[in-house]
Amino acid sequence: MLKAIGREAVLVRKTTELRGLVGLIIPGGESTVISKLSIDTGLFEEIRGLISNGFPVFGTCAGLIMLADNLLDATAKQRSFGGLDVTVRRNAFGNQLDSFETDLDFIGINDSVHAAFIRAPIIESVGPGVEVLARISSGGIVAVRQGNLLGIAFHPEITGETRVHQLFADICDAAKLN
Ligand code: GLN
């Protein structure tokens, strides 16, 4: 996705690989596993430190779960980095609706965003400093921004939707100038 918008991407698996970055993307996957592996590798504390210093971080799906201050339906052991003053419920769409695609109005992006939700979380509530960027038709919140943190409940890469990554790249550019 970053290549598609002309940005360089590096994979981060250990703490030394965090050096020299202008932003971090935490992808979808499984938040319980991201939680465990990040604690085991020491990335957990490093990423928490970056977030508290205002470093730009973008979380998609499981990545959104990792950025949430409060989790519902989490496992007993799982931890989140936090940073976003939101409450996120894991696996919020049951059985048949486990996965679905829909078009969203997204603040800051012209024309609708085609979004794929895969065992997706939902944002149940947001604190006063959090900007809601998109909702599904039921009213559920699926995209938020708070400062340099961006969190979305869906997978833009599955539908080839590059504009949310572009929005994050713009956040990284602006943060670099400050
Ligand atoms: N259900 C997964 C979790 O709890 C998230 C799914 C995804 O990232 N597509 O982490």
Side-chain angles (χ1 to χ4, degrees):
M1 291 297 280
L2 291 175
K3 220 171 172 183
I5 58 167
R7 304 286 174 140
E8 192 190 344
V10 290
L11 285 176
V12 174
R13 297 196 187 89
K14 44 189 189 214
T15 54
T16 50
E17 290 163 339
L18 285 169
R19 287 192 201 126
L21 305 182
V22 298
L24 181 69
I25 299 177
I26 308 171
E30 178 49 57
S31 58
T32 53
V33 177
I34 300 174
S35 167
K36 182 183 184 316
L37 292 180
S38 63
I39 291 168
D40 291 352
T41 55
L43 279 165
F44 190 86
E45 284 307 323
E46 294 274 334
I47 291 172
R48 275 173 75 94
L50 288 172
I51 290 170
S52 63
N53 285 330
F55 191 72
V57 184
F58 175 27
T60 69
C61 207
L64 161 70
I65 296 169
M66 292 305 300
L67 287 179
D69 281 345
N70 308 299
L71 299 184
L72 298 173
D73 294 337
T75 65
K77 278 193 184 163
Q78 103 176 84
R79 299 286 174 270
S80 61
F81 304 129
L84 279 177
D85 181 13
V86 298
T87 297
V88 165
R89 183 180 298 280
R90 292 180 62 226
N91 304 329
F93 304 91
N95 301 328
Q96 231 136 318
L97 281 179
D98 253 3
S99 302
F100 62 98
E101 294 184 18
T102 189
D103 290 320
L104 303 171
D105 290 330
F106 198 113
I107 290 175
I109 296 177
N110 291 330
D111 305 326
S112 59
V113 165
H114 192 61
F117 291 82
I118 302 167
R119 295 188 62 236
I122 199 147
I123 300 161
E124 293 217 340
S125 62
V126 301
V130 178
E131 188 186 2
V132 174
L133 301 178
R135 295 176 185 265
I136 49 174
S137 56
S138 65
I141 301 168
V142 293
V144 291
R145 177 175 177 181
Q146 183 176 10
N148 289 333
L149 300 180
L150 183 64
I152 64 174
F154 55 94
H155 285 258
E157 73 280 9
I158 291 194
T159 55
E161 172 57 70
T162 56
R163 292 171 297 169
V164 191
H165 285 74
Q166 184 60 56
L167 179 69
F168 180 62
D170 293 342
I171 292 172
C172 296
D173 289 346
K176 245 190 330 189
L177 298 176
N178 288 327

